[in-house]
């Protein structure tokens, strides 16, 4: 069985189109896949979703970050935070509502990143009434483009709050652009993001603002279901003063294994003039994962919203190759091996003993005359 798994994995593994490249990749009608360093990731083409995991850890969880919908909303309580009860229009990003144009993977070189690989998904978006009403309200309301980039070496990005690093080989940078073509009466635009952790990674570590400018970790379980409280319920994500915000995927014992980060200062370009765009984040738990809402308070008019996010794995959260895992779990492995060996030995002794005794002969009945006597 182990041999079959190994062979199947070898067949399915993305293969480099050219040995010069720092990563292996594959492209088909359904996805674009990367294998770089200890990261394997697939970006689906039916809707923008990154499915990724650690390549060498034998028990790695699978993680997902997807963008299913955009919203327009009116901030009815003027708190700057979005809840589903405030949406006015929805724009769906699945291929039942939009046609995605996906470019082939291309490679480039940079003095810092060295080689990098990139491709783009783009589409025209329409607006629908409400979150469940499929009635078309405004066609060709906006355009959307997502550029996915992975580099060979670390790349530094910055804003007015400071600089942060996009790790080479294990981080995917996602540059999101939303070009609003038709102005609508609304407080802003909301991007919905679904975060799902698999296996033992059933916790989320929200890195939020604490007292005196500190950053605190708030761990939330995937088992929580906030939808029972109605569409008006949401949690405010308390943004830090760091140049990026972060939600991490963690195990039950709070070991971080992957993360989703987004730039603290998105920008809006209107008439060729770029400015920092006010942003607020909120979230709800759905029992399947986390739904994160990022609200851009862009108001009315035509403009282009730019946002950078990062999806990656945290190497420190994984034991590494299988020999490292065996070393860290040596006691458990020894106990399990001893128990299994004992079961096998006892079973073998019992079987040998049973065979030596041979089949049991049925007892002979006493003659009828003896019974009467």
């Amino acid at each position: 069985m182990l041999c079959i798994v190994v062979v199947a994995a070898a067949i399915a593994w993305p293969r480099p189109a050219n040995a010069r490249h720092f990563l292996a990749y594959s492209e088909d009608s359904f996805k674009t896949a990367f294998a770089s360093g200890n990261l394997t990731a697939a970006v689906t083409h039916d809707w923008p979703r990154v499915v990724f995991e650690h390549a060498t850890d034998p028990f790695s969880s699978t993680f997902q970050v997807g963008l299913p919908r955009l919203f327009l909303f009116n901030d009815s309580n003027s708190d700057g935070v979005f809840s589903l009860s405030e949406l006015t229009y929805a724009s769906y990003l699945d291929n039942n509502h939009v046609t995605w144009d996906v470019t082939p993977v291309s490679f480039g070189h940079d003095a810092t990143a060295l080689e990098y690989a990139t491709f783009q998904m783009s589409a025209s978006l329409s607006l629908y009434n409400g979150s469940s009403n499929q009635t078309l309200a405004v066609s060709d309301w906006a355009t959307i483009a997502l550029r996915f980039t992975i580099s060979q070496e670390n790349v530094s990005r910055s804003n007015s709050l400071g600089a942060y690093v996009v790790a080479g080989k294990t981080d995917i940078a996602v540059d999101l652009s939303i070009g609003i073509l038709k102005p609508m009466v609304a407080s802003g635009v909301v991007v919905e993001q679904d975060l799902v952790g698999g296996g033992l990674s059933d916790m989320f570590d929200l890195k939020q603002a604490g007292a005196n400018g500190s950053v605190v970790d708030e761990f939330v379980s995937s088992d929580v279901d906030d939808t029972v409280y109605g569409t008006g319920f949401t949690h405010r994500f308390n943004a830090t003063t760091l140049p990026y915000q972060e939600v991490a995927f963690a195990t039950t014992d709070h070991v971080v294994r992957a993360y989703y980060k987004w730039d603290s200062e998105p920008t809006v370009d209107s008439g060729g003039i770029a400015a920092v765009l006010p942003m607020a984040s909120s979230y709800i738990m759905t029992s399947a994962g986390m739904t994160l809402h990022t609200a851009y308070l862009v108001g009315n008019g035509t403009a282009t919203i730019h946002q950078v996010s990062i999806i990656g794995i945290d190497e420190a959260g994984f034991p590494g190759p299988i020999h490292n895992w065996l070393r860290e779990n040596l006691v458990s492995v020894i106990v399990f091996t001893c128990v299994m060996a004992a079961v096998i030995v006892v079973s073998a002794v019992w079987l040998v003993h049973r065979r030596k005794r041979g089949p049991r002969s049925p007892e002979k009945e006493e003659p009828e005359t003896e019974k009467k006597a």
Side-chain angles (χ1 to χ4, degrees):
M1 186 178 292
L2 180 60
C3 292
I4 293 173
V5 171
V6 172
V7 171
I11 293 174
W13 195 267
R15 300 182 183 277
N18 192 312
R20 294 174 302 158
H21 297 314
F22 74 96
L23 54 67
Y25 72 97
S26 65
E27 303 168 284
D28 55 42
S29 301
F30 308 102
K31 67 185 183 306
T32 299
F34 291 129
S36 170
N38 285 331
L39 172 73
T40 60
V43 183
T44 58
H45 296 169
D46 55 344
W47 61 288
R49 177 181 53 153
V50 181
V51 182
F52 63 106
E53 62 184 337
H54 194 281
T56 62
D57 184 84
F59 303 103
S60 172
S61 304
T62 300
F63 310 98
Q64 296 183 36
V65 177
L67 276 66
R69 299 181 294 183
L70 303 183
F71 302 122
L72 293 186
F73 82 109
N74 285 322
D75 189 12
S76 56
N77 57 3
S78 301
D79 63 351
V81 177
F82 169 76
S83 65
L84 286 170
S85 62
E86 295 177 322
L87 75 86
T88 55
Y89 298 99
S91 182
Y92 301 90
L93 304 187
D94 61 273
N95 59 1
N96 292 321
H97 294 84
V98 303
T99 301
W100 286 102
D101 178 25
V102 182
T103 65
V105 174
S106 62
F107 289 84
H109 288 81
D110 180 84
T112 303
L114 297 185
E115 187 179 46
Y116 62 88
T118 185
F119 78 97
Q120 179 173 290
M121 297 176 62
S122 58
S124 177
L125 304 179
S126 298
L127 293 175
Y128 293 81
N129 289 318
S131 61
S132 58
N133 189 338
Q134 295 293 296
T135 304
L136 178 64
V138 181
S139 60
D140 300 322
W141 157 70
T143 60
I144 184 171
L146 296 105
R147 178 166 292 277
F148 302 87
T149 304
I150 184 168
S151 61
Q152 186 174 4
E153 298 294 336
N154 293 352
V155 176
S156 179
R157 299 216 182 195
S158 63
N159 52 43
S160 68
L161 298 173
Y164 56 93
V165 173
V166 182
K169 297 182 181 178
T170 57
D171 276 0
I172 296 177
V174 184
D175 289 86
L176 169 67
S177 295
I178 302 171
I180 301 173
L181 305 176
K182 297 178 179 179
M184 302 291 293
V185 178
S187 299
V189 176
V190 177
V191 176
E192 184 174 74
Q193 300 125 100
D194 284 343
L195 281 63
V196 180
L200 298 177
S201 301
D202 57 353
M203 300 288 289
F204 291 95
D205 178 10
L206 287 72
K207 301 193 179 286
Q208 301 184 87
N212 301 318
S214 63
V215 178
V216 297
D217 296 299
E218 179 183 353
F219 288 89
V220 183
S221 172
S222 294
D223 296 332
V224 176
D225 186 2
D226 291 328
T227 61
V228 298
Y229 301 118
T231 58
F233 181 85
T234 192
H235 299 277
R236 177 190 290 271
F237 183 93
N238 297 310
T240 68
T241 56
L242 297 176
Y244 64 88
Q245 308 302 315
E246 179 178 354
V247 172
F249 300 84
T251 62
T252 305
D253 52 355
H254 295 179
V255 176
V256 170
R257 289 193 163 177
Y259 45 76
Y260 178 64
K261 303 176 181 178
W262 61 103
D263 194 292
S264 298
E265 291 188 343
T267 60
V268 59
D269 189 327
S270 180
I273 300 175
V276 174
L277 179 61
M279 173 186 69
S281 298
S282 57
Y283 68 94
I284 57 173
M285 306 304 296
T286 64
S287 76
M290 171 183 290
T291 297
L292 177 68
H293 292 122
T294 305
Y296 305 102
L297 307 180
V298 66
N300 303 326
T302 60
T304 302
I305 299 170
H306 297 281
Q307 174 72 81
V308 177
S309 58
I310 303 168
I311 299 168
I313 58 173
D314 190 333
E315 293 278 22
F318 295 90
I322 192 166
H323 62 271
N324 290 345
W325 180 87
L326 289 172
R327 188 186 306 119
E328 295 185 7
N329 297 273
L330 187 59
V331 174
S332 298
V333 171
I334 290 174
V335 171
F336 177 78
T337 304
C338 291
V339 170
M340 293 304 298
V343 170
I344 293 172
V345 170
V346 171
S347 299
V349 170
W350 176 81
L351 183 60
V352 170
H353 179 68
R354 188 172 184 274
R355 285 182 176 178
K356 283 184 177 180
R357 291 183 58 187
R360 296 182 61 184
S361 301
E363 295 182 0
K364 296 182 179 180
E365 294 186 2
E366 296 180 0
E368 190 69 22
T369 55
E370 293 183 2
K371 291 182 179 180
K372 292 180 179 180

